[in-house]
Amino acid sequence: MELLIYSDSAVFSERVSPILYRNEDIYSLFLGILGQIQANQYEDYFLAIAEEEGEIVAVCLMTPPHALQLVILQHFPNIEKEIAGHLQNLGIEVSGIVGEQETCHLFAEAWTHETGEQVKVLMNQGLYRIDAVNKGLRKSEGSWRIASKKDAEILEEWYRLFEEETGINQSTKTEAAHRIAAFLERKEVYVWEVDGRVVSCMKKSRPSKNGITVSFVFTPKSKRGKGYARTLVAEVTDELLMEFDFVTLYTDLDNATANKIYREIGYEQIANPVHLVFEEQ
């Protein structure tokens, strides 16, 4: 098996996108991040294709320090181990992996066998898809709007709290401010407002040809239990479905409340990915 590294994201996309678009919802994260790379939203990235006799058998994408995405397109014995070996021989640093359960665990086993690191499950994920919002949902008081620069300060605070609660990352205040500024510039964040006060937020991200993803759904603890997030996600999802065929989102399956809310809106689980991280013993 040969591992081909690509510095040109357009050439890489031309080769892999037609294959991944056959299951656009399942591979929405990979396709969405690839789109962001092509839109120059990442300076540092790693793209690779594994080939066997000229045929694509797996694809890799990583935007350090974020986890590796590895999609196996043709399964054969020890393919994950072989790819891990190639990456280690190249000196590629991998902090973790996200994707299909078996692929991730087999890669992690091979990777940490060589590095001596331990594997930690950061999140057992649910990938959800929706094509139409359920009718008759009870609506919370208030209304949604696209966030503006006047919301930046509170969104920066919520972003760091969201990261703390999910455990995915921990941005500095400066990093959070930079990210929120970029989100606002692209008009990606939506807020729920009650009596002129912002009480909940969410964002859209990673559009593909026919779908888009919902993320950063957050309500501060003092405002929870009032249905603000559910109403915000339901109404904005309905709006997004006027432009896209479907909307996806990732959840922590250990968060029963969040999963229940999304199912009430009409989201249905289509996959069970996992996010693994590699840590020193």
Side-chain angles (χ1 to χ4, degrees):
M1 187 189 72
E2 188 179 9
L3 192 70
L4 307 175
I5 314 302
Y6 286 77
S7 58
D8 189 328
S9 60
V11 175
F12 177 81
S13 178
E14 192 175 307
R15 292 206 65 198
V16 306
S17 291
I19 300 169
L20 299 180
Y21 266 107
R22 295 170 192 165
N23 295 284
E24 184 179 353
D25 51 1
I26 297 295
Y27 299 132
S28 56
L29 178 62
F30 195 110
L31 288 165
I33 298 294
L34 179 55
Q36 290 178 332
I37 290 171
Q38 291 185 274
N40 299 316
Q41 291 180 32
Y42 289 98
E43 291 181 7
D44 188 15
Y45 58 85
F46 173 79
L47 304 170
I49 292 174
E51 286 189 356
E52 183 73 29
E53 297 180 356
E55 209 169 335
I56 298 176
V57 295
V59 292
C60 304
L61 178 152
M62 186 168 61
T63 54
H66 302 294
L68 172 73
Q69 291 187 63
L70 169 61
V71 176
I72 304 297
L73 299 168
Q74 291 192 36
H75 290 267
F76 56 81
N78 298 319
I79 183 171
E80 293 88 356
K81 182 178 180 180
E82 205 168 330
I83 290 171
H86 276 294
L87 295 179
Q88 287 169 338
N89 290 337
L90 288 167
I92 304 297
E93 292 185 15
V94 177
S95 62
I97 184 167
V98 61
E100 191 267 332
Q101 292 265 353
E102 185 179 15
T103 295
C104 288
H105 283 287
L106 288 171
F107 179 90
E109 182 183 353
W111 184 267
T112 56
H113 178 74
E114 295 299 324
T115 65
E117 294 170 304
Q118 61 182 359
V119 182
K120 175 186 172 185
V121 178
L122 185 63
M123 190 179 292
N124 181 33
Q125 300 175 326
L127 172 57
Y128 283 76
R129 168 180 170 146
I130 191 170
D131 297 273
V133 173
N134 287 337
K135 304 300 180 186
L137 287 172
R138 183 178 61 82
K139 180 181 175 180
S140 301
E141 62 173 334
S143 58
W144 68 269
R145 62 172 172 81
I146 298 172
S148 64
K149 290 181 180 178
K150 70 178 182 179
D151 305 305
E153 187 175 348
I154 194 167
L155 289 173
E156 289 164 18
E157 178 187 341
W158 288 0
Y159 188 76
R160 297 185 77 226
L161 288 170
F162 174 78
E163 287 187 323
E164 187 179 310
E165 289 190 11
T166 57
I168 291 175
N169 196 10
Q170 191 57 65
S171 301
T172 63
K173 287 185 177 181
T174 301
E175 288 169 339
H178 177 75
R179 289 193 176 97
I180 291 298
F183 298 162
L184 294 175
E185 180 71 24
R186 296 193 294 266
K187 300 188 184 303
E188 291 178 343
V189 182
Y190 301 83
V191 295
W192 191 259
E193 205 169 43
V194 178
D195 297 328
R197 295 178 67 88
V198 174
V199 296
S200 189
C201 71
M202 61 165 281
K203 76 180 288 284
K204 64 179 180 180
S205 63
R206 306 192 300 266
S208 53
K209 286 180 182 177
N210 304 293
I212 194 165
T213 299
V214 163
S215 62
F216 184 28
V217 178
F218 185 80
T219 305
K221 288 181 179 178
S222 62
K223 302 295 182 184
R224 292 176 187 174
K226 299 178 175 64
Y228 297 143
R230 186 182 75 164
T231 309
L232 173 62
V233 172
E235 296 206 355
V236 174
T237 295
D238 208 25
E239 188 80 8
L240 293 173
L241 287 170
M242 295 175 70
E243 181 180 354
F244 296 93
D245 293 343
F246 64 88
V247 179
T248 58
L249 61 79
Y250 281 82
T251 70
D252 179 352
L253 288 180
D254 292 338
N255 187 334
T257 300
N259 285 272
K260 177 175 177 288
I261 287 170
Y262 295 132
R263 287 194 296 269
E264 288 173 349
I265 293 169
Y267 282 88
E268 296 181 355
Q269 188 179 341
I270 59 171
N272 174 207
V274 68
H275 186 168
L276 304 177
V277 292
F278 309 143
E279 299 178 339
E280 289 186 9
Q281 295 271 16

